[in-house]
Amino acid sequence: MIGTSLCRWAISYFAVAIVWLLLAEALMVVGFGFPNHDIGAPETLVIVHMVSIGWLSTVLCGALFQFVPVLVARPLYAERWTLPALALLTLGLMVLLAGFLALGGHINGPPWLLPIGAGLLIAGFALVVANLGMTLWSARPLPLPARFVAGGLACICVTAAFGGLFSLVLSGTAIGAQWPELLVSGVPIHALAGLGGWLTFTAMGVSYRLLAMFMLAPDGDARLGRLAWSAGIIALAVGLVGGALALWRMTGLNLAFLLAGTAALLSLAAYGRDVLGLYRTRKRRALELNTRMSLVALTSLIAVAILGAACLATGTFSSHVGALAFLLAFGWLTGLVLANLYKIVPFLTWLETYGPVMGRVPTPRVQDLVAERRASKWFVLFFAGSWTATLMLMIDAPLGFRVAVAAVMVATLGLSEEFIRARRLTDVAAAQRLPTGAAAPHLLVSRN
Amino acid sequence: MTEFIDVDVRPILRAGGEPFSIIMAALERLEPGEGLRLYAPFKPVPLFEVMASRGFAHRAAELEGGEWEIRFMPDDGSVEAPEPVFAASSEGDWPEPAVHLDNRDLDPPEPMVRILAALERLAPGQTLSALLSREPVFLFRELSKRGHQWRGGFTPQKDSYQLTVRVQP
């Protein structure tokens, strides 16, 4: 059996991601992007890509580099590819954002910024997908959580491919001019593959295993898990293939999305039921803050599903799509990620610091690296702010939205400080902090 | 094409026996180029390392009822060899465990801390057995760094992980 070691750069991915999240929140607070601008405006695209690539994709990549080897009990295919991938993703996003700003007339920039940025991002994601894909490939047949990750990796390829095509259209190149319809029909596919397939589906898979681990629950009901996986794959396949056919006017986009939406709801219902089962059969009665907050994030996902279905039924989906996307990105994904970082950062820090001396000298517990009471107020503020912001978008109150996002940003800053304190072992009693043989970890890089 | 010799350890394990020596004996009888097809009631993960250290790659496939068919074939370099570890040496039988730990209800990483602490108190060559609720993936690294050997795998009911560690002789 091969042991799993620490991914050297996972912590660096987390740090870069949090900086992007704070930047995006700051821009929203000052009234940049939707709802102060049009939902398709370049300003909105800046925010959307800061959140979806800078924050969510970067943090997810870091987490996957650490946890895919745990899921499949295999070492990462190429640890040395992780840092170049981070550099490509970060640089690519900066160039892409500059392209959007030029498109919106905020800066003077050449038209090739968008395709170059997209190309760098595609190269970065290709490194990530190849690395994780080869790791998964070496571990066939895959356990269930890893199959969710495999589905997510397929979706990031679709997302990136469409993003690359859009960059050609938006920058006014000759190749892009052949695809005038692409932006109309392609954007829903790009968003579905990115938010639904890559981010949500992957997060579902990883959270399965982490929730079971940290609640001391037996693995979930295999039938429900398989149903959640296969219904999700069907939803993504119907949405993507139907959407692509709609590009050639062979099917209606709405029909494809209605079928995909139904399958997605079935997948979510099976997943939610299974997580509830984990919660009921857990051996650890008192739940830690990270698990409680993951469950709160899950209620946001359920709310998105219910609100989305209600909006579709009443024909108001297109006017509320911004609010739903915000709730999905912040209430569910950002909430889930922050909750899990609150466990992952101290856990990795603990392992790095005390692993070498474990069993030989008394060491603090992982719980001694955190102060849950202090952190819980930041989580309360975070979720209250996210839900209020969603409500403000629903009732079309831009100023209220900005105030609510300001609260979310304060909460994010508070949680960032908690992560830094854990990394620096600030909350560990001084007598126990660094026993002989243990070395204090660096803030941004792990020793492995 | 690789020729396979079949070894079915399911009856042995069901009878409560230890199939390790039988697998090793079958391995000794293989002709060059021949492979071993193993049938087991669970995925014998620790065995993969032992076989890898002897130059065998494996392909595992789950059968009906949670049973497994694993084909071990001579590794001609087409499958990437896993990094060498100190896991599960093939030399004979280990002594009866001096310490038994039931760590199934402990919060991670407490199971790992207790196992390492207990190992510090054992004499060279002594063994420890532990029951865990999951495969202790982060523990293996520490064990190999400290030069200990181990064997482990999920119990046939798949509800716990049985680990035996021998202190470096």
Side-chain angles (χ1 to χ4, degrees):
Chain A
M1 177 67 257
I2 296 163
T4 299
S5 57
L6 295 176
C7 172
R8 191 169 165 73
W9 304 107
I11 292 282
S12 324
Y13 272 75
F14 300 160
V16 170
I18 289 176
V19 170
W20 281 117
L21 174 63
L22 286 167
L23 272 175
E25 288 169 349
L27 284 179
M28 283 190 275
V29 170
V30 299
F32 189 88
F34 184 79
N36 293 76
H37 294 82
D38 180 55
I39 196 157
E43 293 78 12
T44 309
L45 292 177
V46 169
I47 302 281
V48 165
H49 290 85
M50 269 188 179
V51 173
S52 59
I53 300 177
W55 158 236
L56 291 170
S57 295
T58 306
V59 81
L60 192 58
C61 287
L64 289 176
F65 287 140
Q66 182 61 59
F67 283 101
V68 163
V70 175
L71 290 183
V72 300
R74 291 278 163 148
L76 193 62
Y77 180 72
E79 169 94 24
R80 64 185 180 281
W81 292 358
T82 51
L83 187 63
L86 178 61
L88 282 169
L89 290 176
T90 307
L91 183 66
L93 181 57
M94 291 198 290
V95 178
L96 187 82
L97 296 181
F100 287 137
L101 289 175
L103 201 64
H106 296 277
I107 58 168
N108 277 321
W112 45 258
L113 281 174
L114 284 177
I116 295 289
L120 289 167
L121 283 170
I122 288 173
F125 280 121
L127 268 189
V128 172
V129 171
N131 202 353
L132 294 170
M134 292 302 285
T135 310
L136 292 175
W137 186 257
S138 71
R140 290 162 300 143
L142 291 181
L144 191 64
R147 283 186 219 173
F148 280 84
V149 178
L153 291 181
C155 285
I156 186 63
C157 296
V158 175
T159 316
F162 271 88
L165 288 174
F166 296 155
S167 74
L168 295 176
V169 178
L170 285 173
S171 58
T173 59
I175 312 167
Q178 299 167 18
W179 295 83
E181 300 259 325
L182 189 70
L183 286 177
V184 184
S185 309
V187 167
I189 306 177
H190 179 69
L192 173 77
L195 271 178
W198 160 237
L199 295 169
T200 292
F201 208 54
T202 311
M204 280 163 72
V206 175
S207 66
Y208 244 124
R209 189 58 187 266
L210 289 185
L211 280 173
M213 250 168 85
F214 293 132
M215 287 199 289
L216 288 185
D219 283 327
D221 183 334
R223 273 170 310 172
L224 278 175
R226 274 199 294 270
L227 177 64
W229 185 79
S230 38
I233 287 290
I234 289 170
L236 292 167
V238 169
L240 299 182
V241 173
L245 289 178
L247 275 176
W248 284 280
R249 300 176 181 280
M250 290 171 72
T251 54
L253 194 60
N254 288 342
L255 177 68
F257 281 2
L258 188 67
L259 289 174
T262 312
L265 278 182
L266 180 64
S267 168
L268 287 181
Y271 171 74
R273 179 75 192 71
D274 207 11
V275 169
L276 196 67
L278 289 183
Y279 178 74
R280 285 202 183 123
T281 54
R282 72 189 193 275
K283 287 190 193 142
R284 172 185 283 179
R285 300 324 295 175
L287 290 180
E288 287 173 313
L289 187 61
N290 57 299
T291 311
R292 294 201 303 271
M293 293 305 120
S294 297
L295 295 171
V296 175
L298 184 62
T299 62
S300 297
L301 177 62
I302 295 167
V304 171
I306 294 172
L307 284 175
C311 288
L312 273 178
T314 54
T316 54
F317 189 79
S318 55
S319 54
H320 288 318
V321 71
L324 290 171
F326 183 87
L327 186 56
L328 191 69
F330 279 80
W332 157 240
L333 290 168
T334 302
L336 182 76
V337 168
L338 288 174
N340 281 293
L341 282 185
Y342 190 71
K343 182 73 190 189
I344 293 169
V345 170
F347 185 77
L348 297 181
T349 305
W350 182 90
L351 215 51
E352 182 185 342
T353 314
Y354 304 112
V357 296
M358 213 188 301
R360 293 177 177 154
V361 293
T363 54
R365 300 168 309 142
V366 179
Q367 277 304 303
D368 297 332
L369 270 66
V370 295
E372 288 199 349
R373 279 173 73 88
R374 201 178 54 221
S376 55
K377 67 171 186 286
W378 299 126
F379 278 109
V380 170
L381 185 65
F382 174 84
F383 283 109
S386 299
W387 292 334
T388 311
T390 307
L391 182 69
M392 292 299 148
L393 288 177
M394 286 253 174
I395 61 170
D396 219 3
L399 189 65
F401 172 76
R402 286 165 59 184
V403 173
V405 176
V408 172
M409 186 174 168
V410 170
T412 312
L413 281 168
L415 287 170
S416 309
E417 198 208 345
E418 297 295 322
F419 300 146
I420 294 172
R421 289 177 71 96
R423 220 44 218 141
R424 296 222 156 115
L425 310 170
T426 314
D427 289 317
V428 183
Q432 275 200 309
R433 193 172 297 151
L434 285 175
T436 318
H442 298 292
L443 185 60
L444 300 176
V445 186
S446 301
R447 273 184 299 268
N448 57 358
Chain B
M1 276 302 289
T2 312
E3 292 286 319
F4 285 99
I5 305 296
D6 287 345
V7 176
D8 189 346
V9 297
R10 289 173 294 188
I12 303 167
L13 279 162
R14 270 191 220 106
E18 217 312 294
F20 189 74
S21 54
I22 290 159
I23 298 168
M24 288 302 131
L27 206 60
E28 299 299 326
R29 291 197 300 273
L30 290 184
E31 300 289 334
E34 277 187 336
L36 189 72
R37 179 161 42 216
L38 180 76
Y39 294 93
F42 55 89
K43 193 176 180 181
V45 176
L47 188 63
F48 298 164
E49 283 307 325
V50 182
M51 297 297 282
S53 68
R54 295 178 159 231
F56 285 86
H58 71 271
R59 285 274 177 272
E62 192 164 6
L63 307 170
E64 288 296 305
E67 301 189 330
W68 287 79
E69 177 197 310
I70 298 101
R71 283 177 298 155
F72 292 101
M73 53 222 121
D75 193 350
D76 53 6
S78 62
V79 183
E80 188 169 324
E83 55 187 279
V85 289
F86 294 99
S89 86
S90 55
E91 17 176 303
D93 290 323
W94 289 0
E96 281 299 304
V99 179
H100 290 272
L101 295 174
D102 184 348
N103 288 351
R104 283 175 296 181
D105 288 345
L106 296 176
D107 305 348
E110 197 60 22
M112 167 157 80
V113 176
R114 293 216 186 169
I115 289 169
L116 289 170
L119 286 170
E120 291 293 320
R121 293 191 291 271
L122 292 185
Q126 282 192 306
T127 65
L128 163 157
S129 97
L131 271 181
L132 299 147
S133 60
R134 318 209 143 253
E135 190 168 39
V137 283
F138 288 105
L139 172 65
F140 297 132
R141 194 83 176 179
E142 290 304 326
L143 291 178
S144 60
K145 269 188 196 159
R146 295 166 195 217
H148 301 318
Q149 300 171 320
W150 71 91
R151 295 170 180 173
F154 283 97
T155 54
Q157 299 80 27
K158 286 188 169 183
D159 56 355
S160 48
Y161 189 92
Q162 166 82 51
L163 179 75
T164 309
V165 186
R166 181 163 70 154
V167 177
Q168 190 186 20

